[in-house]
Amino acid sequence: MNSTGVGGDVFFVLVGAILVFAMHGGFAFLEVGTVRHKNQVNALVKILVDFALSTVTYFFVGYAFAYGTTFLVDAATLSGGGGGFELQGLTLVKFFFLTTFAAAIPAIISGGIAERMKFWPQCVATVALVGIVYPLYEGIVWNGNFGFQAWLEATFGAQFHDFAGSVVVHGVGGWIALGAVLLLGARMGRYDSKGRPIGIPPSSLPWLAMGSWMLCVGWFGFNVMTAGSLDAASGLVAINSLMAMVGGILAALVVGKNDPGFVHNGALAGLVAVCAGSDIMHPIGSLIVGAGAGAIFVIGFEMCQNKLKVDDVLGVWPLHGICGAWGGIAAGIFGLESLGGLGGVSLMSQIIGTVVGATYALAAGFVVYGILKSTMGLRLSQEDEHLGADLAIHKISANPEHDLGR
């Protein structure tokens, strides 16, 4: 490849990395708008610190664990002087891009454990999840580690297809979060003495909406730039992402009975679900997949909160866990040529890959957070939870001047 082609690919992947990095602001403001005012600063700090910890951990441990590449070589080699590194630092921007994916795991979990989780145990969890737990499954699916993909292809005719991470990223994050939330327990005052839910309204719908918008915009980098090069970029991925997003919005609007929180999360549900098959499905199939995800999220959120009594604050298990699983399986349905897709997928491989990913992530969530619960403790004291994580942990509120009465 000539230098112009390499430079174009470097820029292409870099723009994708920047777009997905911006999505972490979306995670932050989605949480800021959903939690109570006394926990807004904590939401912002968690997402930023988790990203920093994820980057360092993924650089030294996680990326090597998934792809067998270490960055502990000289800068000339890193820039493309040999040792398996692509020219002009293309490998480095691919690392940046994949780092933003890895950092999405703790960002997803953050919304489920909000308002009552200690700060430092979550930092330790981030290191464990991004250093070992996530890269293990990432490497199995996206790098062919341990022969799992080869076995699926030999047995069912196709590998597990997860183009942009419905299961690898979102499903894993959502199912880990379920384990964490179950171990953590519900917030004080969320349910009465008879187990009946007590509503805790969002602190700011505009902030929530802005978080959703930021995530939606960045998602086109998340999906389209997964191609990794200009030559491999596909407009089909872009239009499928768009159609799934609007399908999720409209379904959540109807099933959620005009609730603005459901509408804005419905867009994200559709985008979560389309990641896996965005490169192979027909746009109409993507619209159906997105609409299904929007309905799944609303029903799943209400079931989770009201029936199962699981206090998942932002609904990250139904949004990322269940909708991610739906997306992984849906790629094996709507990716088929008989339904207008490009083919090359096996429904059985999609089911197995999805179930393995969800089961592994749920078990990992219980293990990581279970160890932390028994050693460091997970939960704020009742006094600190009542005070709010902002003052209890960070010693400052979202509006400190207002608190001083000035």
Side-chain angles (χ1 to χ4, degrees):
M1 183 182 292
N2 60 45
S3 60
T4 302
V6 176
D9 288 346
V10 169
F11 185 73
F12 176 75
V13 177
L14 177 60
V15 170
I18 293 168
L19 283 169
V20 185
F21 175 46
M23 289 176 69
H24 288 264
F27 282 120
F29 284 104
L30 189 71
E31 185 172 335
V32 165
T34 305
V35 300
R36 286 167 288 188
H37 192 270
K38 62 184 179 179
N39 296 300
Q40 290 181 329
V41 171
N42 181 244
L44 294 169
V45 173
K46 275 193 303 178
I47 301 297
L48 190 61
V49 171
D50 279 342
F51 188 89
L53 289 170
S54 296
T55 300
V56 173
T57 304
Y58 199 62
F59 182 86
F60 286 105
V61 181
Y63 190 82
F65 200 61
Y67 300 102
T69 300
T70 176
F71 297 106
L72 302 180
V73 295
D74 60 83
T77 303
L78 291 175
S79 297
F85 288 91
E86 297 172 90
L87 294 173
Q88 295 180 229
L90 180 56
T91 302
L92 301 181
V93 292
K94 287 182 177 179
F95 160 77
F96 181 13
F97 184 70
L98 288 171
T99 295
T100 61
F101 278 48
I105 300 297
I108 288 167
I109 297 167
S110 176
I113 62 177
E115 300 204 295
R116 74 275 202 206
M117 176 80 183
K118 289 182 177 179
F119 184 74
W120 291 113
Q122 175 55 20
C123 290
V124 175
T126 293
V127 172
L129 295 172
V130 177
I132 300 173
V133 174
Y134 167 73
L136 177 60
Y137 187 68
E138 175 192 17
I140 287 172
V141 176
W142 285 344
N143 199 47
N145 297 350
F146 305 112
F148 178 67
Q149 289 282 40
W151 173 76
L152 287 176
E153 186 172 16
T155 306
F156 302 106
Q159 297 183 1
F160 173 53
H161 187 92
D162 192 2
F163 178 68
S166 286
V167 179
V168 173
V169 179
H170 299 285
V172 167
W175 286 92
I176 290 174
L178 176 60
V181 169
L182 290 173
L183 287 170
L184 194 58
R187 290 168 290 176
M188 292 169 51
R190 182 64 181 91
Y191 302 99
D192 65 17
S193 59
K194 296 183 178 179
R196 293 173 297 197
I198 298 173
I200 299 178
S203 61
S204 173
L205 285 171
W207 283 129
L208 184 157
M210 191 184 82
S212 175
W213 275 104
M214 290 178 69
L215 285 163
C216 287
V217 172
W219 223 295
F220 288 88
F222 195 99
N223 284 0
V224 176
M225 272 72 166
T226 290
S229 68
L230 284 169
D231 287 342
S234 171
L236 181 64
V237 177
I239 195 65
N240 280 341
S241 301
L242 177 67
M243 296 300 282
M245 181 189 76
V246 299
I249 293 169
L250 296 175
L253 174 70
V254 174
V255 179
K257 301 177 182 178
N258 305 327
D259 183 287
F262 285 144
V263 170
H264 286 93
N265 278 284
L268 309 181
L271 286 163
V272 165
V274 80
C275 287
S278 58
D279 62 326
I280 57 172
M281 294 191 295
H282 189 280
I284 295 175
S286 294
L287 180 66
I288 295 170
V289 170
I296 288 169
F297 170 70
V298 174
I299 296 169
F301 183 86
E302 292 181 336
M303 176 188 71
C304 178
Q305 298 286 340
N306 301 327
K307 301 294 184 182
L308 300 178
K309 306 295 190 299
V310 176
D311 188 16
D312 177 351
V313 181
L314 268 67
V316 297
W317 174 50
L319 178 61
H320 297 274
I322 301 177
C323 290
W326 158 240
I329 294 170
I333 301 171
F334 294 95
L336 297 173
E337 291 185 56
S338 58
L339 291 178
L342 297 181
V345 289
S346 161
L347 178 58
M348 187 57 65
S349 292
Q350 294 305 116
I351 293 172
I352 293 173
T354 299
V355 170
V356 167
T359 304
Y360 165 71
L362 180 60
F366 276 114
V367 169
V368 171
Y369 285 92
I371 292 173
L372 289 171
K373 184 175 183 177
S374 64
T375 55
M376 302 177 68
L378 295 179
R379 188 160 184 151
L380 292 171
S381 67
Q382 289 190 356
E383 181 182 354
D384 284 347
E385 186 177 341
H386 178 74
L387 181 64
D390 293 356
L391 293 176
I393 297 173
H394 308 289
K395 312 305 179 187
I396 193 168
S397 72
N399 299 101
E401 186 176 16
H402 179 270
D403 293 340
L404 292 172
R406 295 176 181 174

